[in-house]
Amino acid sequence: MAQIEKRGGLLRKSSASKKPLKEKVVLMYDEIFMTEDPSKCSPRFWEELFLMKVNLEYLEGKLESLDSEELMKIKDNVNCLFQHCIQALGEEHPIRVVNALQTLCALIRGVHQKNKSTSGFDIINMLMGFDKAELCMKNLMESLDSLLCAEGSESLKSLCLKLLLCLVTVTDNISQNTILEYVMINSIFEAILQILSHPPSRREHGYDAVVLLALLVNYSKYESVNPYIVKLSIVDDEATLNGMGLVIAQALSEYNRQYKDKEEEHQSGFFSALTNMVGSMFIADAHEKISVQTNEAILLALYEAVHLNRNFITVLAQSHPEMGLVTTPVSPSPTTPVTPLGTTPPSSDDEHRLHSGKLCLIILTCIAEDQYANAFLHDDNMNFRVNLHRMPMRHRKKAADKNLPCRPLVCAVLDLMVEFIVTHMMKEFPMDLYIRCIQVVHKLLCYQKKCRVRLHYTWRELWSALINLLKFLMSNETILLAKHNIFTLTLMIVNLFNMFITYGDTFLPTPSSYDELYYEIIRMHQSFDNLYSMVLRLSTNAGQWKEAASKVTHALVNIRAIINHFNPKIESYAAVNHISQLSEEQVLEVVRANYDTLTLKLQDGLDQYERYSEQHKEAAFFKELVRSISTNVRRNLAFHTLSQEVLLKEFSTIS
C-alpha cells in the first residue's frame, strides 16, 4: 500500500502517478472561496466545518492570496463564516469552540495581511459586513468574556486570549485598528482582572492577560477616552493588584535568571526584580551585545500600572512567595510560546535596549515622584536585600554579594543610579538616559529634604560618580557638543551638589556626612576649577552655547566659594604644621574649624522640579514603543501549538 504524507493541506500519495488528495476541511475552505453559498448544496455545511481540525496555514494563505477586489467577490461567504464562528463559540462541544476560535484567528490575520493599506472600515466590512458589525462584535466579545470567566477548559481560555491578542495586534499602529472600537465598547476588563486575581488562571494565563491589558490601554490613549485607562486607574482590589504585580515580577525575574545564567536570586521581591533588570539592561561598550531578549511588553505593563494606578504602588515592596517556585503543570501547556510575547530578539540593534532602558527610568521617575511610593522606599522598618547586577569593569573587582545588607529600598534605587552613571560613559553617550537618571536622584533628594528623612547611605559613592561624570563630559567636550547640549546635564549635576550644600543639614544622616561632602568638593577642586574654566570660556564667546554655559557658571558660585574659602586655610594649616600631605581627618578638622566664616549665596528652586507628563513629552516614544511591541506580539503568537490529541485528552476529562 502506498505511503501517505500530509503537506500543506494535501494528502499526498508517494506514488507520483496519483494526484494529491485534499483534506476534507481544505475542500470545504475552497467552497467558501467560491461565490456561491456553500450551505445551499450542503445544509449541514457549517455544522460539519467546525468538527474538522482547522488548517490554519491553508486558510490564512488562501486569504492572503486574494486582493481586496477578489475578497469582495466572496465577501458574503467570509461574513457568513465569521458569523458562524461566533455562533459556534456558544456551542457545548468544546472541539467546535476551539475550531471556531482558531478559524477566527486565521480570518482576522489573513484579511489584514493582504489588505494592510485598506482602511479599518473596509476591513470590518470584509470580515463581518457594516450592517452586522456592531451585533457581531457584541456577540463575539460577550462569548469571549463568558469563556474567560467560566471554570472550564484552560486551553479554551488560552485560545480566547490569543484571539484577543491577534485582534489587537493585526496592525502595527494599534490606534489605527478600527475593530478595537468594539473592544472598547464591549469591555473585557473585568475578565482580565478575574484571571489576574485567581491563582490557578493567573499561573496559566497571567502573562497573556497582562500583555493584552497593556496594549488595550494604549489604544487611542491621547485622542479619546479609553475605558481601559479609566478602569485600570481605579482598581483597588488587593488580590488583583498583587496578581498583576506577581505576573510582572515573575517575567522580570526570568529576565534576570537568563541574564545571570540562571543564578539564584537572593531576593524574590518585586522591586528587586525591576532594579536588577534596569542594572543589566545596558552594557558599557557599544560593540558588546546583550545576550537575552528584552521584554518591552512587560515593562510597558509595569509602567501603565505604576503611572495610572496609585494603589499599585503598594505591591512594589511586596515579596511574592510564589516566585522562584518551579511547578510542573498537571497537563502540558503547549499554548505558551517558547518566545514570550512582546519580547525583542537578542540580535536586535541597540535602539531596542535604549528603549527598554528609557522605559525603566521613566518607571523609576514615576515612583520617585509619588509621595506614597517614597514613603515605602524610605521606610526604615521595611528593609530588603537587593542583589544588583554590577558590570565587570577593569578598575574594580566583582563584588561578592553573599552578605548583602538589609536597607530601605531607596538605597537600591540610588545604588542603581550610581551604577548607571559609572558604567555608561561611552562614545555613543546616552544623554537622554543620563538626564533621566539624575532626575530620579534629584526627586528622591527633594522628598528627603521635604520630609527630613535622614537616610543612612554611602553618599560619597554618589558624589564620586557625579564628579567622574563631570570629568568625562569635560574630556569629551568637542565630541559630545557635536551631538548634545552637555550643559543641561552639567547644570543638573552641579545643582545636585548645590542641593547637598544648601539643604544637606536637613537630610544627611550625620554632621560628619556634611563634613565629608565638603571634603570631596575640596579634594576634587581641580575638576570643579576645570569645569568653571570651560563654561566661562564658552559663556564669554558669542557662540551657540553662551546662554547654556552661563547658567552653569552662575550655578558654580557656592562650590567655588567653598573651594576658595577652605583651600588657603588648608594650605596654611599644612605650612604651620610642616605637613606635606594632610590626612582626611586633618582636612576635616580644618573644615569644621572654619564653617563660621564661610559665606554662601541662597539659590532658589533647588528643591523644585517639573513633574513627569507622558502626553506632552513622551507621546511619540510610547507610540513607537507600542508599535514595536505589537509587531513582536504578532510575530510570537502561536495558535496551532494545541494539537487535536491534547485537546481531545483534556476535553475527555471535563465533566
Side-chain angles (χ1 to χ4, degrees), residues 461-490:
E461 289 185 9
L462 173 64
W463 301 330
S464 175
L466 292 171
I467 291 168
N468 283 331
L469 178 54
L470 285 176
K471 287 162 73 175
F472 175 83
L473 293 173
M474 286 185 283
S475 15
N476 294 277
E477 174 194 343
T478 308
I479 297 168
L480 292 175
L481 276 177
K483 296 180 181 179
H484 310 287
N485 174 4
I486 63 172
F487 301 107
T488 303
L489 179 59
T490 305

Side-chain angles (χ1 to χ4, degrees), residues 400-466:
D401 292 328
K402 291 179 181 176
N403 299 309
L404 292 167
C406 259
R407 303 176 298 171
L409 280 173
V410 69
C411 295
V413 181
L414 289 167
D415 281 351
L416 184 63
M417 297 301 97
V418 169
E419 180 68 15
F420 180 87
I421 291 168
V422 299
T423 56
H424 294 84
M425 296 181 224
M426 49 190 172
K427 289 177 184 176
E428 293 299 320
F429 189 72
M431 178 62 79
D432 177 64
L433 301 186
Y434 265 101
I435 287 173
R436 292 174 192 279
C437 172
I438 301 301
Q439 284 174 337
V440 169
V441 175
H442 179 234
K443 287 170 183 180
L444 293 173
L445 291 182
C446 288
Y447 174 82
Q448 291 167 24
K449 179 256 175 183
K450 177 184 173 185
C451 298
R452 295 184 172 265
V453 175
R454 295 191 181 276
L455 184 69
H456 288 273
Y457 182 71
T458 50
W459 292 109
R460 190 174 267 187
E461 289 185 9
L462 173 64
W463 301 330
S464 175
L466 292 171

Side-chain angles (χ1 to χ4, degrees), residues 175 322 501 640:
S175 295
E322 292 178 58
I501 292 165
H640 55 275

Side-chain angles (χ1 to χ4, degrees), residues 94-111:
I95 290 293
R96 288 184 189 274
V97 180
V98 167
N99 289 333
L101 287 167
Q102 291 184 325
T103 304
L104 281 168
C105 291
L107 264 177
I108 292 164
R109 293 214 302 194
V111 168

Side-chain angles (χ1 to χ4, degrees), residues 9-11 19-27 30 58 62:
L10 304 176
L11 295 175
K19 286 185 178 179
L21 301 173
K22 288 188 176 181
E23 291 177 77
K24 184 174 180 182
V25 74
V26 168
L27 292 169
D30 287 345
Y58 185 84
K62 192 80 174 173

Side-chain angles (χ1 to χ4, degrees), residues 92 571 601:
E92 288 186 10
E571 288 168 9
K601 289 188 176 179

Side-chain angles (χ1 to χ4, degrees), residues 634-646:
R634 184 171 66 246
R635 184 190 300 126
N636 296 334
L637 271 176
F639 304 105
H640 55 275
T641 49
L642 279 177
S643 70
Q644 205 80 350
E645 292 75 23
V646 170

